[in-house]
Amino acid sequence: MSTRTPIGPGATIGIVGGGQLARMIGLAAANYGLKVHVFSPDADSPAFDVAAARTLAAYDDADALAAFADAVDVVTYEFENVPRETAEILEAHAILRPNATALSTTQDRLVEKEFVNRLGIATAPFRAVDTAADLSAALDALGRPAVLKTRRFGYDGKGQRMIRASETIDPAAVMAELGDAPCILEGFVPFAREVSVVAARGVDGAFAAFDLCENEHRDHILAVTRVPAPGLSDATAREAARIAERIGAALDYVGVFAVELFLVREADGSERPVVNEIAPRVHNSGHWTIEGALTSQFAQHVRAVCGWPLGDASRTGGMAVEMENLIGAEADAWPALLSEPGAHLHLYGKGESRPGRKMGHVTRLVPRG
Ligand code: AMP
């Protein structure tokens, strides 16, 4: 393990995963005179383009992981499905930030919801479902509609299935649709809208949340993030930030993370936050911070994992911000976006555009009228 402390300019951050999140962490690190070493099993990784060093190896290649961790000053990751054995090898050879507990808690929907509920924070009601009989019992307990989700490896709506009120289902067939994997059934949350808190926690326990943002999904993929969330009350914004602060402290978290929340409208018009999921990493709904906040989520993550003071997470004065993902062929509009005054274009360097693939994003700042 490296003994160079404190971590300063010239040091190297190891990043597990080579997608656009790692790429944007790498760009932010370069801004502070740091280097990144990217570990990815995919030769076409977008983050390889901005990395001073690369390891092309599988996530279960123990020798490659050990050599990678030995070569860097701190290791971080850009996705939550880092296998437990991988995290253990990394922790034995380097400082891992966020820690392995953050991974094991958030990569399993059942463990994650139990953890959140233990803090006294609301989630959808849920039941563990391992068999068709469990599914029938859980549907009786929670009612319909309900959402069946695999406990692990779900993203962008994959690994989940809505069970509607009117539908007659064969529980065994539904379990087979999800590969007979261990699942949870969640009661349907009748939310008014979906929001997220992107926040950071430093080595010293300092906490800084970016402004709450509202997220619009299309085909289960984030399409647009808006900040500030229109019509959001200060009380709801404060409560959401407080939820993130308590989750971060309970995980002894270091780095940037996101808490995705449903807002449920109450009879008195107030909005009640319900936690949907925690992402132990920089998050798509935080991309707006590159231009829209005084410190971007990527710079903030770099600061946190290096043990540096957190930056100012305030929104750039007086501006409302909209971030639009460029999915698949939408990125072909890049020439028009380059010509649009005030549009900040980000392309991830992915060679092949496929339907549903995140190719880039564009951020627009507008003065609030
Ligand atoms: P997830 O993968 O858990 O983020 O779920 C993907 C999307 O499905 C969410 O953004 C919601 O729009 C919807 N969804 C997931 N779980 C529930 C739930 N328990 N109640 C209502 N909608 C849900």
Side-chain angles (χ1 to χ4, degrees):
M1 186 193 319
S2 163
T3 50
R4 259 202 287 166
T5 49
I7 299 167
T12 301
I13 301 174
I15 309 176
V16 180
Q20 66 267 19
L21 300 179
R23 178 182 172 102
M24 288 186 275
I25 294 170
L27 292 169
N31 238 355
Y32 287 131
L34 296 155
K35 300 182 197 315
V36 296
H37 181 157
V38 170
F39 187 111
S40 169
D42 181 359
D44 285 334
S45 293
F48 278 168
D49 293 349
V50 303
R54 314 153 176 197
T55 299
L56 181 64
Y59 292 128
D60 60 1
D61 183 335
D63 292 339
L65 288 165
F68 160 76
D70 285 337
V72 302
D73 295 279
V74 59
V75 175
T76 190
Y77 43 87
E78 61 139 27
F79 66 111
E80 54 270 53
N81 292 320
V82 175
R84 189 171 54 87
E85 298 75 12
T86 301
E88 281 168 4
I89 295 168
L90 295 170
E91 268 197 331
H93 287 262
I95 305 168
L96 180 64
R97 291 177 177 154
N99 61 35
T101 308
L103 280 172
S104 58
T105 307
T106 58
Q107 65 189 195
D108 181 318
R109 291 182 190 273
L110 178 63
V111 176
E112 178 177 73
K113 284 200 166 49
E114 287 171 346
F115 159 75
V116 171
N117 285 175
R118 270 201 306 280
L119 296 177
I121 298 169
T123 61
F126 63 92
R127 292 284 187 283
V129 170
D130 291 326
T131 63
D134 292 345
L135 177 56
S136 300
L139 281 168
D140 288 345
L142 299 177
R144 297 170 183 223
V147 190
L148 185 68
K149 302 180 181 178
T150 56
R151 284 172 56 174
R152 300 185 52 142
F153 303 123
Y155 70 98
D156 288 348
K158 295 184 174 62
Q160 59 179 273
R161 187 199 194 277
M162 174 83 106
I163 299 171
R164 295 178 196 286
S166 54
E167 195 178 355
T168 310
I169 61 149
D170 170 359
V174 170
M175 290 301 290
E177 272 177 47
L178 293 187
D180 286 310
C183 287
I184 65 168
L185 186 74
E186 295 181 17
F188 186 80
V189 178
F191 60 85
R193 52 180 166 167
E194 294 184 83
V195 297
S196 55
V197 191
V198 179
R201 192 165 177 278
V203 168
D204 59 356
F207 175 80
F210 294 102
D211 283 357
L212 190 80
C213 44
E214 180 166 351
N215 300 318
E216 187 185 314
H217 297 88
R218 268 176 234 141
D219 301 327
H220 294 285
I221 299 172
L222 180 66
V224 180
T225 294
R226 292 187 185 85
V227 198
L232 185 79
S233 76
D234 288 346
T236 305
R238 269 198 308 276
E239 193 184 343
R242 178 81 187 118
I243 285 171
E245 186 170 8
R246 292 180 56 212
I247 287 172
L251 292 172
D252 195 18
Y253 196 90
V254 174
V256 166
F257 63 107
V259 182
E260 295 180 32
L261 300 156
F262 300 129
L263 293 185
V264 179
R265 193 166 305 281
E266 302 284 42
D268 65 1
S270 64
E271 291 184 301
R272 179 171 55 88
V274 173
V275 169
N276 177 26
E277 62 184 358
I278 305 164
R281 53 173 171 79
V282 290
H283 194 255
N284 195 169
S285 71
H287 290 0
W288 65 271
T289 60
I290 297 174
E291 292 86 12
L294 297 184
T295 308
S296 80
Q297 65 164 344
F298 303 102
Q300 194 74 302
H301 188 69
V302 167
R303 283 167 169 258
V305 301
C306 289
W308 296 357
L310 298 183
D312 186 343
S314 310
R315 195 150 34 87
T316 308
M319 304 294 263
V321 191
E322 193 170 295
M323 188 287 307
E324 184 189 341
N325 268 342
L326 301 173
I327 311 282
E330 287 167 6
D332 296 347
W334 64 267
L337 291 166
L338 280 177
S339 305
E340 181 188 320
H344 299 272
L345 177 65
H346 298 260
L347 296 172
Y348 304 149
K350 296 183 182 177
E352 191 194 339
S353 132
R354 288 193 294 270
R357 192 170 197 208
K358 291 174 181 169
M359 302 299 292
H361 72 268
V362 58
T363 301
R364 299 178 176 91
L365 272 63
V366 285
R368 295 169 76 190

